[in-house]
Amino acid sequence: NAGVTQTPKFRVLKTGQSMTLLCAQDMNHEYMYWYRQDPGMGLRLIHYSVGEGTTAKGEVPDGYNVSRLKKQNFLLGLESAAPSQTSVYFCASSYSPDRGETQYFGPGTRLLVL
Amino acid sequence: AQRVTQPEKLLSVFKGAPVELKCNYSYSGSPELFWYVQYSRQRLQLLLRHISRESIKGFTADLNKGETSFHLKKPFAQEEDSAMYYCALDMDSNYQLIWGAGTKLIIKP
């Protein structure tokens, strides 16, 4: 099993450009999450999904959109990239959102917005 | 506001010495806490969780509600313990984990 995979691994954008980050998991998990990590800070939740076709906002959703058309995929979109969105993006999934449940992480996508 | 603080950005100890990575939290409800670890060139993964009261790779962590802490300890550090360690807080009725900024642990030979 590949677990959680993320595409691409690294991307450079110009301000105003758009892009989509793809997260895929092969563990049949219901719950998926997108985080961003900035230098010197902990991970912050952008959006999450509790199942196919459902998404919800996390702590820092502004400037991002997401879609979960298939259970195994969770897409993160930047419609008009800004330098403040330069960050490392992590996708995670879990079997359930129950307290104590493990989240499984992807390798991360490093995004630089110029 | 809910918060997780890891006061040390970097902790360097010699092999065989005891290790303690500090984690303090701010949360008025009943906390559920985790330690996640990221080894070099590997992805973030769960190390241990409070609810399981387990010892993983020789590490233990005890929840101290009085001091609002969940420090990670190991009596004898090994070189393979070198990694980034993150403490995370799971709040009641919320899908969101609150993460600390992480501590980089370096074990010197």
Side-chain angles (χ1 to χ4, degrees):
Chain A
N1 290 346
V4 179
T5 58
Q6 292 183 231
T7 308
K9 292 183 179 179
F10 176 69
R11 184 76 183 268
V12 179
L13 288 179
K14 294 181 180 178
T15 296
Q17 287 184 319
S18 63
M19 79 164 293
T20 300
L21 284 69
L22 170 63
C23 176
Q25 52 94 4
D26 61 3
M27 296 175 283
N28 202 34
H29 285 170
E30 287 290 339
Y31 300 86
M32 297 186 74
Y33 315 84
W34 274 108
Y35 292 94
R36 61 177 288 172
Q37 184 178 34
D38 300 306
M41 298 181 68
L43 279 72
R44 291 183 293 168
L45 185 66
I46 305 171
H47 286 278
Y48 63 94
S49 169
V50 302
E52 183 177 318
T54 68
T55 63
K57 295 180 180 180
E59 179 186 358
V60 289
D62 294 341
Y64 304 96
N65 56 76
V66 287
S67 65
R68 184 101 179 266
L69 299 179
K70 293 183 179 180
K71 185 177 182 178
Q72 62 268 33
N73 295 337
F74 194 28
L75 279 63
L76 178 70
L78 286 74
E79 290 186 349
S80 179
S84 61
Q85 294 177 303
T86 293
S87 189
V88 180
Y89 292 85
F90 290 99
C91 177
S93 71
S94 65
Y95 177 71
S96 79
D98 292 345
R99 305 196 82 200
E101 188 70 32
T102 302
Q103 289 191 12
Y104 295 86
F105 283 83
T109 294
R110 193 172 295 272
L111 177 65
L112 174 62
V113 183
L114 302 175
Chain B
Q2 298 80 15
R3 186 171 61 248
V4 174
T5 303
Q6 294 180 248
E8 303 131 334
K9 289 186 178 180
L10 174 65
L11 183 63
S12 181
V13 302
F14 284 103
K15 177 182 172 182
V19 171
E20 182 179 52
L21 291 90
K22 292 183 169 56
C23 172
N24 291 94
Y25 66 91
S26 174
Y27 177 54
S28 58
S30 179
E32 187 55 54
L33 287 142
F34 303 80
W35 278 99
Y36 278 78
V37 61
Q38 187 170 25
Y39 301 103
S40 179
R41 298 189 184 88
Q42 295 187 28
R43 59 189 65 190
L44 196 59
Q45 58 186 287
L46 178 70
L47 179 63
L48 58 79
R49 63 192 117 189
H50 157 244
I51 198 170
S52 300
R53 302 186 186 281
E54 56 205 344
S55 173
I56 303 294
K57 299 185 178 183
F59 284 98
T60 58
D62 291 319
L63 178 61
N64 185 325
K65 292 187 178 181
E67 296 184 355
T68 60
S69 68
F70 188 58
H71 302 329
L72 184 68
K73 300 177 183 179
K74 184 170 184 177
F76 307 103
Q78 298 173 307
E79 289 186 66
E80 55 264 33
D81 296 329
S82 294
M84 281 292 298
Y85 290 80
Y86 296 93
C87 182
L89 166 69
D90 185 343
M91 301 180 291
D92 281 328
S93 304
N94 193 308
Y95 296 103
Q96 188 164 288
L97 288 179
I98 305 298
W99 295 79
T103 298
K104 184 173 185 177
L105 177 64
I106 296 175
I107 306 300
K108 297 178 286 188

